[in-house]
């Protein structure tokens, strides 16, 4: 099963009664393990979480920290891009060259890198004075 297929499958479990926009995310780590996540909305809207955040949380809970590949899928007219916050979350665990495949349910795909998604990213180096 491809990473997009994993994302497509977990998307079915999304809890999105408010936006009605279900998103699935899957990521492969350096070890080859796959972790998945879906968006989980809340009646207190800001408490909702994105699919990518769920997959990252599952990865870290399993003791892994190195993302090798990412896939995101939604029923959108164009391949769905990670939101700004999720771009920063991905950059925490993925090098700039890591590929992010964005997909639609009807089969469109667009591949970018983490660096494409977050140019000029804030990093640990910005907190060093000397
Ligand atoms: N959403 C994600 O889960 N990932 C994205 O990359 C874009 C947006 C979710 C958040 C919210 O539950 C719904 O999509 C509408 O914004």
């Amino acid at each position: 099963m491809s990473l997009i297929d994993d994302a497509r499958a977990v998307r079915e479990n999304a809890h999105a009664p408010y936006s009605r926009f279900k998103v699935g995310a899957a990521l492969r780590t350096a070890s080859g393990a796959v972790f998945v996540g879906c968006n989980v909305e809340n009646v207190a809207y800001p408490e909702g979480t994105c699919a990518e955040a769920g997959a990252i949380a599952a990865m870290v809970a399993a003791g892994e920290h190195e993302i090798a590949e990412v896939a995101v899928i939604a029923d959108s007219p164009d391949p769905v891009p990670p939101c700004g916050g999720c771009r920063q979350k991905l950059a925490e665990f993925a090098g700039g060259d890591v590929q992010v495949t964005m997909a639609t349910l009807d089969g469109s795909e667009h591949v970018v890198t983490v660096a494409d998604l977050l140019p000029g990213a804030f990093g640990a180096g910005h907190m060093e004075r000397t």
Side-chain angles (χ1 to χ4, degrees):
M1 199 152 91
S2 76
L3 210 52
I4 281 290
D5 290 334
D6 291 313
R8 183 188 296 265
V10 72
R11 175 187 165 278
E12 298 293 332
N13 297 336
H15 176 72
Y18 308 107
S19 72
R20 302 202 174 279
F21 187 69
K22 292 185 168 193
V23 184
L27 52 87
R28 192 184 318 279
T29 61
S31 76
V34 171
F35 297 94
V36 296
C38 54
N39 51 333
V40 182
E41 298 183 348
N42 191 281
V43 65
Y45 293 178
E47 299 303 325
T49 51
C50 285
E52 297 89 328
I56 290 169
M59 174 190 75
V60 174
E64 298 222 32
H65 301 90
E66 195 179 341
I67 297 174
E69 192 186 347
V70 182
V72 186
I73 193 167
D75 189 14
S76 48
D78 298 306
V80 63
C83 78
C86 285
R87 294 175 190 214
Q88 187 76 45
K89 289 182 177 77
L90 289 169
E92 182 76 13
F93 301 104
D97 58 342
V98 166
Q99 290 198 332
V100 180
T101 301
M102 312 182 297
T104 67
L105 280 194
D106 54 17
S108 296
E109 290 190 10
H110 183 51
V111 181
V112 296
T113 65
V114 167
D116 292 332
L117 291 173
L118 199 61
F122 173 72
H126 292 105
M127 294 189 289
E128 287 167 13
R129 198 76 178 105
T130 52

